[in-house]
Amino acid sequence: MTRHIPLQGVENFRDYGDYAAGGGRLRKGLLFRAAHQADATDEDLAAMGGLGLVTIVDLRRAPERQREPSRRWTGFSAQVIDNDLGGEGDDPWQTFLRGWDYAEADLRAYMALSYRRKPFTPRHVDLFTRYFAALAEAKGPVLIHCAAGKDRTGLLAALTHHLAGVSRDDLVEDYLATNDPERYARIGERIGRYLAGYTGSVPPEAAIRAALAVEAEYILASVEAIEAAHGSIDAYLETVLGVDGKAREAILAHILA
């Protein structure tokens, strides 16, 4: 778990660079991913401030941002990319939880369907497009995050890895690094109480673990959906997210050592 950067109040903070990629290697200290920063301690803020972040991509819906507003460090000046698209309806995750009876098979089915839809959701398309445009501008380190730093964040990191030429095995390995046993020990009980707010009772431990976890089949569901719709991830990046040849060249020059 050496990619994890241990913070006190920010979960799942890690560097998703430093992989073999396209004949070179992704830069270390340039690409960061995390959960939300609403519970960041002052020490966490100092640590994040020391990373030199110039862009933060907040993949959360507007109600999520309002419920858990991000804390910022002194002198914060990073560009924040977010949007309010599709923010009026109910959160699909919360809708699922209200009817969940803790069957893990139902959770997996919901997650797989969710991942098949994520690449095409208008608000994701907007956020992903602006993220890659920011990478092409090559201004400096970037942090991408959502609420838990595992699903929306995991997809965007995976797209970045693909663009850079990271192997499929390493792409999946990075995605699965969310499954940190220490993370469950820290937040499992709290997540159980959160889930109970929707389900009506605290779920059994196995269900809590399943809700906190990611599975290779989830991220591969996104990959398969993209390839089915566009033929390849590269075609999706270009035709949907606007990563044309010039943008790709600029991004690679920025993120590859």
Side-chain angles (χ1 to χ4, degrees):
M1 293 297 178
T2 57
R3 294 183 177 277
H4 284 81
I5 299 171
L7 297 178
Q8 297 172 339
V10 183
E11 291 294 330
N12 214 7
F13 201 109
R14 61 188 200 259
D15 190 325
Y16 64 102
D18 199 26
Y19 284 101
R25 196 165 190 89
L26 278 175
R27 296 182 187 275
K28 187 176 181 179
L30 183 68
L31 301 170
F32 297 97
R33 53 177 293 177
H36 70 79
Q37 296 99 60
D39 299 325
T41 65
D42 291 345
E43 291 80 4
D44 292 343
L45 295 179
M48 288 189 289
L51 296 175
L53 297 170
V54 298
T55 302
I56 295 179
V57 184
D58 189 339
L59 299 167
R60 296 177 299 169
R61 299 158 62 92
E64 294 175 282
R65 300 197 308 270
Q66 294 161 6
R67 185 168 60 249
E68 295 179 311
S70 298
R71 293 198 68 205
R72 305 301 190 195
W73 51 91
T74 302
F76 179 86
S77 61
Q79 171 194 17
V80 177
I81 295 175
D82 59 25
N83 71 33
D84 294 340
L85 298 176
E88 297 302 320
D90 198 5
D91 186 320
W93 171 239
Q94 295 175 0
T95 301
F96 168 77
L97 289 179
R98 291 189 184 101
W100 188 32
D101 64 0
Y102 309 138
E104 293 180 47
D106 291 344
L107 174 67
R108 286 175 179 266
Y110 166 81
M111 294 298 292
L113 177 60
S114 172
Y115 270 82
R116 286 194 290 272
R117 291 172 172 171
K118 287 183 194 302
F120 315 109
T121 302
R123 67 186 194 85
H124 292 158
V125 169
D126 172 71
L127 292 167
F128 294 179
T129 298
R130 292 158 63 199
Y131 159 78
F132 282 113
L135 280 188
E137 291 176 359
K139 292 181 178 179
V142 60
L143 168 66
I144 61 175
H145 78 92
C146 51
K150 68 186 187 74
D151 299 314
R152 292 163 287 188
T153 299
L155 173 55
L156 188 51
L159 292 172
T160 308
H161 285 154
H162 174 87
L163 184 149
V166 172
S167 72
R168 183 65 55 86
D169 286 346
D170 283 347
L171 179 158
V172 173
E173 177 186 311
D174 184 83
Y175 173 75
L176 292 176
T178 283
N179 296 336
D180 177 3
E182 294 180 3
R183 176 171 167 263
Y184 179 80
R186 285 192 305 271
I187 68 173
E189 183 178 350
R190 172 161 55 88
I191 295 301
R193 293 195 301 269
Y194 162 81
L195 295 173
Y198 293 97
T199 62
S201 63
V202 176
E205 182 176 350
I208 298 172
R209 287 184 178 275
L212 276 171
V214 292
E215 303 287 347
E217 67 190 80
Y218 300 163
I219 194 63
L220 294 177
S222 284
V223 170
E224 291 164 3
I226 288 170
E227 291 175 341
H230 295 280
S232 69
I233 297 177
D234 291 320
Y236 165 82
L237 288 168
E238 181 169 3
T239 61
V240 178
L241 304 185
V243 185
D244 59 16
K246 182 178 179 180
R248 177 183 287 266
E249 183 177 347
I251 292 169
L252 294 180
H254 179 41
I255 67 177
L256 293 182

